[in-house]
Amino acid sequence: MNILVLNCGSSSLKFQIIETDLDLIEKDTETQKAKGLIERIGSQSLITLQADGKPSIKQAAPLRDHRAALDYVVRWIISAEAQIPGIRSLADIHAIGHRVVHGAEKFTKSVIIDEEVIKGIEDTIELAPLHNPANLKGIYAARELMGPGVPQVAVFDTSFHSTMPETSYLYAIPYQLYRRHKIRKYGFHGTSHRYAAYRYRKIAGKGREETNVITLHLGNGCSACAIKRGESFDTSMGLTPLEGLVMGTRGGDIDPSVLEFLAHKEGMSISEIDTVLNKQSGLLGLSGLTNDMRDLLEEEHEHQDRRAKLAIDIFCQRVKKYIGAYLAEMNGADAIIFTGGIGENSKTIRQRICTGLEWLGVEIDEKRNNELQHGKEGEISKAGSKVKLYVIPTNEELLIARDTVRSVKDAPRRW
Ligand code: ADP
């Protein structure tokens, strides 16, 4: 089956075409046939398209909404210019898998999208006002363009974390607030944490029950996950993706009293404070320079910029703190896994996070760490390290495609 995987943001649309099926999943031999990204939907959009094995194409066009963007993508996919093997017309796209950010308590696994599911995602908008409306736009657009005959599946960022116990997901606020409004920790990046755990099992030859690991998704958004017996036991993001680690523009954990203090001292409204916490904090806020880790590392190295160093140090210390917390919560772990743009590509950050954790049995191998870059997968711990360290480049799209096939064929998900 050719699956179109869609990930719609407020002004962006990312896609991949992946050929997969139940037997290909079993053999782990799927093919990525094409991928692309449309940015700045709503104005002069920037379009990047790439068929497998061919150079990427960059274009610009005024695309007024997600429907226009998807229309553009679909026309390209079936065009003679793209020449994607096995795809000549719309009928060659057999199903669509959507990344949906928030599934709340309602969606604990991937589901085929019908009216009731759409209503459920709409009901969740108040928990993810930035993300779910964009995901819905992608769903509406795909339905309109592909017709009701093409099944669509929603894969939720939150669903992997639905196994968390109450002791992990409840905030210590009056219980009736949870009952009334479902205020609790949901966690995000679930598909990425799930993928890292799945690959770990393959590499280490472990069964689900034997999988006790900490996964660190370090990208623009960052989160840690404690995976106990193959399931999410705790995670650093919360009701929204604001809690936990230091991120590109989000500060993560903070004393909630800071909000009132800010309102009082700076005369800020709730929505202005929300903007500070979501868009002006984290690496950007601390450094005053950029939210981009690669650029910060360069500033620190080339110009010895004090605030760049401070931002990176705080970033690394927060990750260490969560590693320590999760090792305690799980009574130890067999491995720590790095993924996401920073986790996959920055040997320096991996080294800085792991240095000083030797007492906990975490020993990084400098040579292995230095060699593992640019999307490569492998182990970076010393031979005798009690806690193993791995780099596993994430592949959320593959899991979305697999979940789509399984949902359409009504096959059980095994991990
Ligand atoms: P997103 O969360 O938006 O998917 P990514 O996972 O692509 O983002 O991560 C983006 C982050 O990864 C940026 O901060 C970027 O600077 C960082 N990054 C990418 N490559 C490197 C590198 N070689 N060294 C350090 N940081 C890097």
Side-chain angles (χ1 to χ4, degrees), residues 14 189 217-222 248 250 283 291-297 339-349 373-374 394 396:
K14 263 198 233 175
H189 290 143
H217 178 105
L218 309 178
N220 267 320
C222 301
R250 287 169 256 166
L283 295 175
N291 63 319
D292 191 289
M293 182 60 94
R294 202 172 1 189
D295 293 346
L296 273 186
L297 284 164
T339 193
I342 300 171
E344 291 165 26
N345 295 303
S346 179
K347 56 184 183 187
T348 315
I349 297 297
Q373 286 194 87
H374 308 305
T394 193
E396 291 156 279

Side-chain angles (χ1 to χ4, degrees), residues 41-53:
I41 295 173
S43 59
Q44 183 70 357
S45 307
L46 302 174
I47 302 148
T48 312
L49 304 163
Q50 186 173 26
D52 185 38

Side-chain angles (χ1 to χ4, degrees), residues 79-365:
S79 69
E81 182 200 359
Q83 275 194 342
I84 301 170
I87 299 187
R88 292 280 161 273
S89 73
L90 281 189
D92 295 320
I93 296 170
H94 304 116
I96 302 173
H98 293 268
R99 174 192 181 204
V100 179
V101 168
H102 216 311
E105 287 191 338
K106 199 178 180 81
F107 298 109
T108 56
K109 60 182 177 55
S110 305
V111 287
I112 293 193
I113 298 171
D114 57 15
E115 291 307 323
E116 201 184 317
V117 169
I118 289 183
K119 167 91 177 44
I121 300 172
E122 284 171 350
D123 289 345
T124 314
I125 285 177
E126 61 179 5
L127 288 171
L130 295 177
H131 296 100
N132 277 21
N135 304 150
L136 278 165
K137 280 182 192 163
I139 293 171
Y140 301 143
R143 244 193 353 184
E144 214 181 309
L145 288 167
M146 307 295 292
V150 181
Q152 299 197 52
V153 172
V155 179
F156 299 89
D157 266 26
T158 45
S159 66
F160 180 65
H161 302 298
S162 66
T163 49
M164 284 192 292
E166 279 177 317
T167 48
S168 296
Y169 74 67
L170 282 180
Y171 292 119
I173 56 174
Y175 191 80
Q176 59 270 30
L177 291 177
Y178 163 64
R179 277 231 193 94
R180 230 184 287 154
H181 307 294
K182 297 290 173 219
I183 296 172
R184 49 161 283 182
K185 182 188 276 288
Y186 290 97
F188 299 87
H189 290 143
T191 314
S192 179
H193 292 295
R194 193 178 131 208
Y195 180 79
Y198 152 70
R199 284 302 308 163
Y200 166 75
R201 277 200 287 282
K202 286 247 163 191
I203 303 168
K206 299 265 185 184
R208 187 192 183 89
E209 283 283 309
E210 302 164 303
T211 302
N212 297 299
V213 297
I214 296 169
T215 46
L216 301 170
H217 178 105
L218 309 178
N220 267 320
C222 301
S223 70
C225 183
I227 299 179
K228 192 171 173 180
R229 291 193 215 101
E231 294 181 337
S232 175
F233 177 80
D234 201 354
T235 192
S236 57
M237 283 177 166
L239 175 79
T240 74
L242 189 53
E243 191 182 346
L245 303 178
V246 175
M247 314 180 209
T249 59
R250 287 169 256 166
D253 295 337
I254 191 169
D255 179 345
S257 302
V258 171
L259 278 67
E260 201 208 332
F261 202 81
L262 267 179
H264 187 62
K265 291 278 179 194
E266 297 267 330
M268 285 178 166
S269 67
I270 293 283
S271 93
E272 285 168 331
I273 294 171
D274 192 65
T275 303
V276 169
L277 298 178
N278 273 294
K279 306 228 165 94
Q280 297 163 2
S281 299
L283 295 175
L284 172 66
L286 285 167
S287 70
L289 292 170
T290 171
N291 63 319
D292 191 289
M293 182 60 94
R294 202 172 1 189
D295 293 346
L296 273 186
L297 284 164
E298 214 171 283
E299 282 300 324
E300 181 192 37
H301 187 251
E302 307 277 318
H303 307 113
Q304 288 75 49
D305 189 278
R306 191 191 83 82
R307 295 244 313 266
K309 178 177 179 332
L310 184 64
I312 300 166
D313 284 344
I314 295 173
F315 178 96
C316 294
Q317 184 170 324
R318 185 79 55 85
V319 177
K320 272 177 198 256
K321 191 189 272 192
Y322 270 87
I323 291 173
Y326 288 169
L327 285 173
E329 278 190 350
M330 293 202 289
N331 192 14
D334 295 323
I336 296 171
I337 297 160
F338 290 90
T339 193
I342 300 171
E344 291 165 26
N345 295 303
S346 179
K347 56 184 183 187
T348 315
I349 297 297
R350 296 193 299 252
Q351 182 84 46
R352 277 160 80 159
I353 289 171
C354 294
T355 303
L357 295 180
E358 296 81 9
W359 186 80
L360 291 170
V362 178
E363 291 179 78
I364 191 163
D365 185 293

